[in-house]
Amino acid sequence: MNHVHSNSLVIAEAAKCIGCKACELACFAVHNRDNGVGSTVGTVTMPVVPRLYVIRTDSFTMPVQCRQCENAPCAGACPVQAIRQKDGVIAIDADACIGCKACALACPFGAISLYKAYSGGAELPQPLLQERRDSKLQRKTRIIAYKCDLCRDIEMPGAAAGELGASGRDSSVTAVQGREPFPACVAVCPEDALRLVKVGSGNPLSQHREGMTCDVIQ
Amino acid sequence: MNSFVIADPGLCIGCHTCEVACVAAHSANNMFLQQEENPDFYPRLRVTETDQVTAPVQCRHCEDAPCANVCPNGSITNNSSSISINQDTCIGCKTCMLVCPYGAIAMVPASRDGQRQIQAGLRSNASGVWARKERLVASKCDLCDESGNGPECVRICPTHALQLVVPGNVTESIAAKRTASAQTLQQFGGLIRF
Amino acid sequence: MLFSEPIIKIDPELCTGCRRCAAVCPVDAIIGEPGKPQEVDAHRCVVCGQCVQICTVYAADSLESGDNLKNKRLQRGQLPSVREPLFAAYSAGQVPEVKRALADSALYKVVQCAPAIRVSLAEEFGLPMGTLTPGKMAAALRHLKFDRIYDTNFGADVTIMEEGTELIGRVMSGERLPMFTSCCPAWVKHAETAAPELLDHLSSCKSPMQMVGALVKTYGAKQNGVDPAKIYSVAVMPCTCKEFECSREEMEVDGLREVDVVITTRELAQLIKDAGIDFVNLPDEPFDSPLGIYSGAGSIFGVTGGVMEAAIRTGYELVTHETIPNLQLDFVRGEEGLRTATAQLGDLELRVAVVAGLKYVSEILKQVKEGTSPYHFIEVMGCPEGCVSGGGQPKLLLETLRKKAYQARKSSVYRHDSHQQVRKSHENPAIIKLYKDFLGEPLGHVSHHLLHTTFHSREKMSPNQALGVKED
């Protein structure tokens, strides 16, 4: 039988989530080291721009993020091919994005947000585009699409085997192996409400689940 | 953030009424009364047809508009909620047209008060004789900003295939989809066992 | 100065009711249903700020959010230049007031920093966790236009002289044992609330911060030839409860507040950034003499077990009149919530306990109430690993970093101690001079007036009184 390899994804369990937003904060922290974000809150000079979003309703709370769709509608809608599947992750090339919002509207999960772009902790201006602000023309800040990249190219601090401080759980399930992604949201959740799901990775759990997951999510 | 007009191909019947409305909204001349063989008809959106689909395509007023970022003399700027071309300063370099990923920019003759603009200096022999050249400028959707009534194409479309998306709509739509996807997962999440 | 509002607050507009704060609160002072905004019970709250440290519910700052955040910053006493995110649990700050005072040339501005500041301040400027920067810290304070850079570590050395003498006296006479340390204001407030009948077991010493405050406006004023009333005394603390402590009515000397205002480590970083000081590249500068000269023993007050270790280093030599053979007292170091040991001071077997985290103190209090406590001396710190983990310390963005950060800060504190020429409080030349020229002897008349205090039951107080809130 031919083995079809699907993208991994992070998914949350509403029954466990307590709404603490630690996942959002961790997501922001690890993605913005180039913006000067260090280990403490005082190093932050920009708004917190997460790539997953804790939703609260009257009856429950849980984070929502990208499912790394195999036929990603966001990528289909992108007029400049700034969204591609790279090493098993549907990734946005921030430099190529033109801020047209088509991907954000195309995503059925609401997993894409548009925020200002930052460089070195400061707002990144457009090359030339000016906007009218306070009745004069001033250089506009770039606005780009952001989404979950499974922390693919990010080293999670304090996440080596046995060092998971947040929930103190067994780290063997999600320990970093070579270039396997280790999402920060999963690492910091104090309630173990987030999981990285590897579809068809040889993990008995995921094999058992493969068909079911597809049914449910479709 | 900027507003923009977007079409639903499922509703578009390819009637081109939006193009007519666009020209009527932006032209000082009544196109139905023009005497010339080739009346001015330069709509800022174009109904695009393929074997499977028809839909008007126009400017998305990108936040990081590539057209504006390549314009050599700052003729394309961001107004309060749209990307706008200053045709008076446009030099007709066509770079914006080439860079737009939606094909939303076209080169059109410039006119003022219904009169084509003729250049003072530049002469051309395109017509077979040396003559002062007409100005050609970049043209694209401006959301009918100056009319104050909103986009004419949206108002006129007989099948309501066009809609104006304002920044609040984008945020609301994303938020609503987020909540819906959370609800779905919460409902069926029990089936997804970790 | 009394506060018009409680110090620790939870913003009902932001709080999602995740109750992680309730899990770390040592005194069950956080009240509310899961999923609903929580409230702080001002009577129980010991203002330790652990809730402030754990809270991850930040205020979203999207493209559309307007003046709401600006107003919140203003309400929280932040400078307009602050960019860091706001969280649901917070402590109201005093930085704008300090900034105004620094610009006032009529005031003589004096500052002291707690032992734990110099091992964590650099984290707010992106340096590795636990980077040790006493020299940059002193330089930055001088750039901020403080007239004198004094140090709480000096006060820690004074504390050892006073408290050590007090301990030996009590052990010899067998009175009011065990004796508890009294330098942690969260512990003091807890004792006043939960065990008022045991208050005479606390050392009568003021905290090192208040001792420095009292000395700054007396001994220091004389040394510098300034009018004590012109002195504006600022303390930088790793602690949210120190603001509460400095506003206690009894913390005054000759009608003047000992410490006029307390800011946290985080707030000092904000002040430095606001002034445009390039902290990372500052050349080291020294502290000012005499109230800025400290021993290694003074600097280990920043970690759990530090007061105990410093006290034993001096106590050993006072009791035995011999040099202590080993200065590194591993038996009181560690991170367990409760550590016990026996220290041999000559013929005296000193039985000691070290408590880190107020939740571990209840068992000890029960023993003392029942008269079954085997200890002579008990150090209590409200925060999990002592002041390095205080509520006013740089707040970590990732929970996974917490253990590493505390480890790094602690080993910096110990490294700082081990590199000091003088590592025992009673050998600090500035301390020797202070007693020779000004105080006379430990527990003497002047000390009694300036450096010792009383505690009072908060059992029957209204919640507002208990938290020092002004009642109209």
Side-chain angles (χ1 to χ4, degrees), chain C residues 52-77:
Chain C
V52 174
Q53 290 286 328
I54 193 85
C55 181
T56 44
V57 182
Y58 68 94
D61 184 0
S62 66
L63 291 172
E64 285 88 19
S65 65
D67 291 338
N68 193 20
L69 288 185
K70 234 181 246 171
N71 293 336
K72 280 194 194 298
R73 285 194 198 284
L74 208 65
Q75 284 164 9
R76 293 178 179 211

PDB file of all heavy atoms in Angstrom, chain C residues 52-77:
ATOM      1  N   VAL C  52       1.187  37.993  39.762  1.00  0.00           N
ATOM      2  CA  VAL C  52       1.644  38.890  38.697  1.00  0.00           C
ATOM      3  C   VAL C  52       2.650  38.159  37.802  1.00  0.00           C
ATOM      4  O   VAL C  52       2.655  38.311  36.581  1.00  0.00           O
ATOM      5  CB  VAL C  52       2.288  40.158  39.310  1.00  0.00           C
ATOM      6  CG1 VAL C  52       2.902  41.034  38.232  1.00  0.00           C
ATOM      7  CG2 VAL C  52       1.267  40.929  40.120  1.00  0.00           C
ATOM      8  N   GLN C  53       3.474  37.338  38.436  1.00  0.00           N
ATOM      9  CA  GLN C  53       4.498  36.622  37.681  1.00  0.00           C
ATOM     10  C   GLN C  53       3.908  35.523  36.802  1.00  0.00           C
ATOM     11  O   GLN C  53       4.386  35.278  35.702  1.00  0.00           O
ATOM     12  CB  GLN C  53       5.528  36.006  38.647  1.00  0.00           C
ATOM     13  CG  GLN C  53       6.415  37.033  39.334  1.00  0.00           C
ATOM     14  CD  GLN C  53       7.453  37.626  38.402  1.00  0.00           C
ATOM     15  OE1 GLN C  53       7.948  36.984  37.494  1.00  0.00           O
ATOM     16  NE2 GLN C  53       7.781  38.892  38.612  1.00  0.00           N
ATOM     17  N   ILE C  54       2.877  34.835  37.263  1.00  0.00           N
ATOM     18  CA  ILE C  54       2.361  33.674  36.523  1.00  0.00           C
ATOM     19  C   ILE C  54       1.371  34.082  35.423  1.00  0.00           C
ATOM     20  O   ILE C  54       1.204  33.366  34.435  1.00  0.00           O
ATOM     21  CB  ILE C  54       1.686  32.653  37.489  1.00  0.00           C
ATOM     22  CG1 ILE C  54       1.418  31.305  36.803  1.00  0.00           C
ATOM     23  CG2 ILE C  54       0.369  33.159  38.027  1.00  0.00           C
ATOM     24  CD1 ILE C  54       2.568  30.355  36.804  1.00  0.00           C
ATOM     25  N   CYS C  55       0.730  35.245  35.570  1.00  0.00           N
ATOM     26  CA  CYS C  55      -0.387  35.600  34.670  1.00  0.00           C
ATOM     27  C   CYS C  55       0.090  35.721  33.218  1.00  0.00           C
ATOM     28  O   CYS C  55       1.044  36.439  32.927  1.00  0.00           O
ATOM     29  CB  CYS C  55      -1.020  36.912  35.105  1.00  0.00           C
ATOM     30  SG  CYS C  55      -2.408  37.404  34.071  1.00  0.00           S
ATOM     31  N   THR C  56      -0.595  35.014  32.323  1.00  0.00           N
ATOM     32  CA  THR C  56      -0.244  35.099  30.900  1.00  0.00           C
ATOM     33  C   THR C  56      -1.358  35.745  30.079  1.00  0.00           C
ATOM     34  O   THR C  56      -1.260  35.821  28.861  1.00  0.00           O
ATOM     35  CB  THR C  56       0.037  33.698  30.324  1.00  0.00           C
ATOM     36  OG1 THR C  56      -0.957  32.798  30.781  1.00  0.00           O
ATOM     37  CG2 THR C  56       1.404  33.192  30.725  1.00  0.00           C
ATOM     38  N   VAL C  57      -2.419  36.174  30.743  1.00  0.00           N
ATOM     39  CA  VAL C  57      -3.538  36.755  29.996  1.00  0.00           C
ATOM     40  C   VAL C  57      -3.215  38.214  29.672  1.00  0.00           C
ATOM     41  O   VAL C  57      -3.365  39.093  30.505  1.00  0.00           O
ATOM     42  CB  VAL C  57      -4.848  36.643  30.789  1.00  0.00           C
ATOM     43  CG1 VAL C  57      -5.999  37.198  29.974  1.00  0.00           C
ATOM     44  CG2 VAL C  57      -5.107  35.194  31.149  1.00  0.00           C
ATOM     45  N   TYR C  58      -2.742  38.439  28.460  1.00  0.00           N
ATOM     46  CA  TYR C  58      -2.296  39.773  28.071  1.00  0.00           C
ATOM     47  C   TYR C  58      -3.405  40.519  27.341  1.00  0.00           C
ATOM     48  O   TYR C  58      -4.361  39.912  26.850  1.00  0.00           O
ATOM     49  CB  TYR C  58      -1.054  39.667  27.183  1.00  0.00           C
ATOM     50  CG  TYR C  58      -1.354  39.060  25.837  1.00  0.00           C
ATOM     51  CD1 TYR C  58      -1.635  39.866  24.735  1.00  0.00           C
ATOM     52  CD2 TYR C  58      -1.386  37.685  25.668  1.00  0.00           C
ATOM     53  CE1 TYR C  58      -1.936  39.316  23.510  1.00  0.00           C
ATOM     54  CE2 TYR C  58      -1.684  37.132  24.449  1.00  0.00           C
ATOM     55  CZ  TYR C  58      -1.962  37.943  23.368  1.00  0.00           C
ATOM     56  OH  TYR C  58      -2.271  37.396  22.154  1.00  0.00           O
ATOM     57  N   ALA C  59      -3.265  41.821  27.278  1.00  0.00           N
ATOM     58  CA  ALA C  59      -4.228  42.644  26.543  1.00  0.00           C
ATOM     59  C   ALA C  59      -3.828  42.649  25.079  1.00  0.00           C
ATOM     60  O   ALA C  59      -2.719  43.058  24.752  1.00  0.00           O
ATOM     61  CB  ALA C  59      -4.233  44.060  27.099  1.00  0.00           C
ATOM     62  N   ALA C  60      -4.732  42.201  24.214  1.00  0.00           N
ATOM     63  CA  ALA C  60      -4.427  42.181  22.789  1.00  0.00           C
ATOM     64  C   ALA C  60      -4.259  43.613  22.295  1.00  0.00           C
ATOM     65  O   ALA C  60      -4.972  44.517  22.716  1.00  0.00           O
ATOM     66  CB  ALA C  60      -5.541  41.484  22.033  1.00  0.00           C
ATOM     67  N   ASP C  61      -3.284  43.805  21.447  1.00  0.00           N
ATOM     68  CA  ASP C  61      -2.998  45.133  20.904  1.00  0.00           C
ATOM     69  C   ASP C  61      -3.059  45.001  19.385  1.00  0.00           C
ATOM     70  O   ASP C  61      -2.049  44.886  18.721  1.00  0.00           O
ATOM     71  CB  ASP C  61      -1.598  45.563  21.368  1.00  0.00           C
ATOM     72  CG  ASP C  61      -1.259  46.977  20.925  1.00  0.00           C
ATOM     73  OD1 ASP C  61      -2.103  47.604  20.261  1.00  0.00           O
ATOM     74  OD2 ASP C  61      -0.154  47.433  21.223  1.00  0.00           O
ATOM     75  N   SER C  62      -4.288  44.972  18.860  1.00  0.00           N
ATOM     76  CA  SER C  62      -4.459  44.710  17.434  1.00  0.00           C
ATOM     77  C   SER C  62      -4.405  46.024  16.666  1.00  0.00           C
ATOM     78  O   SER C  62      -4.212  47.091  17.234  1.00  0.00           O
ATOM     79  CB  SER C  62      -5.789  44.014  17.192  1.00  0.00           C
ATOM     80  OG  SER C  62      -6.830  44.903  17.523  1.00  0.00           O
ATOM     81  N   LEU C  63      -4.565  45.934  15.340  1.00  0.00           N
ATOM     82  CA  LEU C  63      -4.530  47.136  14.508  1.00  0.00           C
ATOM     83  C   LEU C  63      -5.642  48.104  14.911  1.00  0.00           C
ATOM     84  O   LEU C  63      -5.534  49.294  14.735  1.00  0.00           O
ATOM     85  CB  LEU C  63      -4.698  46.752  13.029  1.00  0.00           C
ATOM     86  CG  LEU C  63      -3.530  45.989  12.407  1.00  0.00           C
ATOM     87  CD1 LEU C  63      -3.893  45.506  11.020  1.00  0.00           C
ATOM     88  CD2 LEU C  63      -2.302  46.874  12.342  1.00  0.00           C
ATOM     89  N   GLU C  64      -6.724  47.538  15.482  1.00  0.00           N
ATOM     90  CA  GLU C  64      -7.882  48.396  15.777  1.00  0.00           C
ATOM     91  C   GLU C  64      -7.883  48.966  17.195  1.00  0.00           C
ATOM     92  O   GLU C  64      -8.587  49.916  17.473  1.00  0.00           O
ATOM     93  CB  GLU C  64      -9.192  47.628  15.556  1.00  0.00           C
ATOM     94  CG  GLU C  64      -9.572  47.430  14.089  1.00  0.00           C
ATOM     95  CD  GLU C  64      -8.952  46.163  13.521  1.00  0.00           C
ATOM     96  OE1 GLU C  64      -8.563  45.289  14.316  1.00  0.00           O
ATOM     97  OE2 GLU C  64      -8.845  46.057  12.288  1.00  0.00           O
ATOM     98  N   SER C  65      -7.102  48.331  18.126  1.00  0.00           N
ATOM     99  CA  SER C  65      -7.210  48.788  19.521  1.00  0.00           C
ATOM    100  C   SER C  65      -6.660  50.195  19.648  1.00  0.00           C
ATOM    101  O   SER C  65      -5.535  50.477  19.262  1.00  0.00           O
ATOM    102  CB  SER C  65      -6.494  47.823  20.466  1.00  0.00           C
ATOM    103  OG  SER C  65      -5.115  47.807  20.210  1.00  0.00           O
ATOM    104  N   GLY C  66      -7.438  51.043  20.217  1.00  0.00           N
ATOM    105  CA  GLY C  66      -7.086  52.465  20.216  1.00  0.00           C
ATOM    106  C   GLY C  66      -6.470  52.928  21.519  1.00  0.00           C
ATOM    107  O   GLY C  66      -5.380  52.504  21.893  1.00  0.00           O
ATOM    108  N   ASP C  67      -7.168  53.832  22.221  1.00  0.00           N
ATOM    109  CA  ASP C  67      -6.613  54.454  23.420  1.00  0.00           C
ATOM    110  C   ASP C  67      -6.788  53.610  24.661  1.00  0.00           C
ATOM    111  O   ASP C  67      -6.274  53.955  25.728  1.00  0.00           O
ATOM    112  CB  ASP C  67      -7.275  55.816  23.639  1.00  0.00           C
ATOM    113  CG  ASP C  67      -6.850  56.801  22.575  1.00  0.00           C
ATOM    114  OD1 ASP C  67      -5.775  56.561  21.979  1.00  0.00           O
ATOM    115  OD2 ASP C  67      -7.578  57.763  22.327  1.00  0.00           O
ATOM    116  N   ASN C  68      -7.495  52.489  24.530  1.00  0.00           N
ATOM    117  CA  ASN C  68      -7.790  51.664  25.695  1.00  0.00           C
ATOM    118  C   ASN C  68      -6.511  51.266  26.427  1.00  0.00           C
ATOM    119  O   ASN C  68      -6.404  51.379  27.645  1.00  0.00           O
ATOM    120  CB  ASN C  68      -8.571  50.429  25.248  1.00  0.00           C
ATOM    121  CG  ASN C  68      -9.175  49.694  26.430  1.00  0.00           C
ATOM    122  OD1 ASN C  68      -9.329  50.267  27.508  1.00  0.00           O
ATOM    123  ND2 ASN C  68      -9.488  48.438  26.237  1.00  0.00           N
ATOM    124  N   LEU C  69      -5.525  50.810  25.659  1.00  0.00           N
ATOM    125  CA  LEU C  69      -4.277  50.373  26.279  1.00  0.00           C
ATOM    126  C   LEU C  69      -3.530  51.554  26.896  1.00  0.00           C
ATOM    127  O   LEU C  69      -2.942  51.435  27.961  1.00  0.00           O
ATOM    128  CB  LEU C  69      -3.390  49.673  25.256  1.00  0.00           C
ATOM    129  CG  LEU C  69      -3.849  48.280  24.818  1.00  0.00           C
ATOM    130  CD1 LEU C  69      -2.822  47.651  23.904  1.00  0.00           C
ATOM    131  CD2 LEU C  69      -4.095  47.391  26.020  1.00  0.00           C
ATOM    132  N   LYS C  70      -3.558  52.679  26.192  1.00  0.00           N
ATOM    133  CA  LYS C  70      -2.899  53.884  26.705  1.00  0.00           C
ATOM    134  C   LYS C  70      -3.465  54.244  28.081  1.00  0.00           C
ATOM    135  O   LYS C  70      -2.725  54.537  29.016  1.00  0.00           O
ATOM    136  CB  LYS C  70      -3.127  55.038  25.726  1.00  0.00           C
ATOM    137  CG  LYS C  70      -1.830  55.704  25.276  1.00  0.00           C
ATOM    138  CD  LYS C  70      -2.124  56.849  24.331  1.00  0.00           C
ATOM    139  CE  LYS C  70      -1.596  56.563  22.939  1.00  0.00           C
ATOM    140  NZ  LYS C  70      -2.036  57.549  21.943  1.00  0.00           N
ATOM    141  N   ASN C  71      -4.781  54.192  28.193  1.00  0.00           N
ATOM    142  CA  ASN C  71      -5.417  54.526  29.471  1.00  0.00           C
ATOM    143  C   ASN C  71      -5.052  53.533  30.560  1.00  0.00           C
ATOM    144  O   ASN C  71      -4.825  53.904  31.708  1.00  0.00           O
ATOM    145  CB  ASN C  71      -6.935  54.579  29.303  1.00  0.00           C
ATOM    146  CG  ASN C  71      -7.350  55.744  28.422  1.00  0.00           C
ATOM    147  OD1 ASN C  71      -6.609  56.715  28.310  1.00  0.00           O
ATOM    148  ND2 ASN C  71      -8.492  55.626  27.771  1.00  0.00           N
ATOM    149  N   LYS C  72      -5.002  52.254  30.170  1.00  0.00           N
ATOM    150  CA  LYS C  72      -4.636  51.234  31.158  1.00  0.00           C
ATOM    151  C   LYS C  72      -3.216  51.484  31.675  1.00  0.00           C
ATOM    152  O   LYS C  72      -2.950  51.367  32.865  1.00  0.00           O
ATOM    153  CB  LYS C  72      -4.729  49.835  30.546  1.00  0.00           C
ATOM    154  CG  LYS C  72      -6.153  49.283  30.478  1.00  0.00           C
ATOM    155  CD  LYS C  72      -6.118  47.792  30.183  1.00  0.00           C
ATOM    156  CE  LYS C  72      -7.470  47.240  29.768  1.00  0.00           C
ATOM    157  NZ  LYS C  72      -8.510  47.367  30.813  1.00  0.00           N
ATOM    158  N   ARG C  73      -2.302  51.822  30.766  1.00  0.00           N
ATOM    159  CA  ARG C  73      -0.920  52.086  31.190  1.00  0.00           C
ATOM    160  C   ARG C  73      -0.893  53.239  32.195  1.00  0.00           C
ATOM    161  O   ARG C  73      -0.174  53.191  33.200  1.00  0.00           O
ATOM    162  CB  ARG C  73      -0.050  52.449  29.993  1.00  0.00           C
ATOM    163  CG  ARG C  73       0.303  51.265  29.139  1.00  0.00           C
ATOM    164  CD  ARG C  73       1.430  51.584  28.170  1.00  0.00           C
ATOM    165  NE  ARG C  73       1.477  50.613  27.093  1.00  0.00           N
ATOM    166  CZ  ARG C  73       1.963  49.384  27.225  1.00  0.00           C
ATOM    167  NH1 ARG C  73       2.451  48.986  28.367  1.00  0.00           N
ATOM    168  NH2 ARG C  73       1.958  48.551  26.196  1.00  0.00           N
ATOM    169  N   LEU C  74      -1.659  54.252  31.902  1.00  0.00           N
ATOM    170  CA  LEU C  74      -1.721  55.421  32.773  1.00  0.00           C
ATOM    171  C   LEU C  74      -2.224  55.017  34.160  1.00  0.00           C
ATOM    172  O   LEU C  74      -1.624  55.360  35.181  1.00  0.00           O
ATOM    173  CB  LEU C  74      -2.661  56.448  32.131  1.00  0.00           C
ATOM    174  CG  LEU C  74      -2.399  57.910  32.443  1.00  0.00           C
ATOM    175  CD1 LEU C  74      -1.058  58.337  31.870  1.00  0.00           C
ATOM    176  CD2 LEU C  74      -3.524  58.773  31.833  1.00  0.00           C
ATOM    177  N   GLN C  75      -3.331  54.241  34.161  1.00  0.00           N
ATOM    178  CA  GLN C  75      -3.911  53.798  35.438  1.00  0.00           C
ATOM    179  C   GLN C  75      -2.929  52.938  36.229  1.00  0.00           C
ATOM    180  O   GLN C  75      -2.963  52.919  37.456  1.00  0.00           O
ATOM    181  CB  GLN C  75      -5.164  52.961  35.187  1.00  0.00           C
ATOM    182  CG  GLN C  75      -6.388  53.775  34.798  1.00  0.00           C
ATOM    183  CD  GLN C  75      -7.471  52.903  34.200  1.00  0.00           C
ATOM    184  OE1 GLN C  75      -7.388  51.681  34.228  1.00  0.00           O
ATOM    185  NE2 GLN C  75      -8.501  53.539  33.652  1.00  0.00           N
ATOM    186  N   ARG C  76      -2.098  52.189  35.524  1.00  0.00           N
ATOM    187  CA  ARG C  76      -1.180  51.285  36.212  1.00  0.00           C
ATOM    188  C   ARG C  76       0.108  51.968  36.641  1.00  0.00           C
ATOM    189  O   ARG C  76       1.034  51.323  37.120  1.00  0.00           O
ATOM    190  CB  ARG C  76      -0.840  50.102  35.301  1.00  0.00           C
ATOM    191  CG  ARG C  76      -2.037  49.218  35.041  1.00  0.00           C
ATOM    192  CD  ARG C  76      -1.696  48.089  34.099  1.00  0.00           C
ATOM    193  NE  ARG C  76      -2.867  47.250  33.889  1.00  0.00           N
ATOM    194  CZ  ARG C  76      -2.827  45.947  33.647  1.00  0.00           C
ATOM    195  NH1 ARG C  76      -1.661  45.345  33.557  1.00  0.00           N
ATOM    196  NH2 ARG C  76      -3.927  45.260  33.474  1.00  0.00           N
ATOM    197  N   GLY C  77       0.191  53.279  36.431  1.00  0.00           N
ATOM    198  CA  GLY C  77       1.376  54.000  36.850  1.00  0.00           C
ATOM    199  C   GLY C  77       2.587  53.671  36.007  1.00  0.00           C
ATOM    200  O   GLY C  77       3.698  53.525  36.511  1.00  0.00           O
TER     201      GLY C  77
END
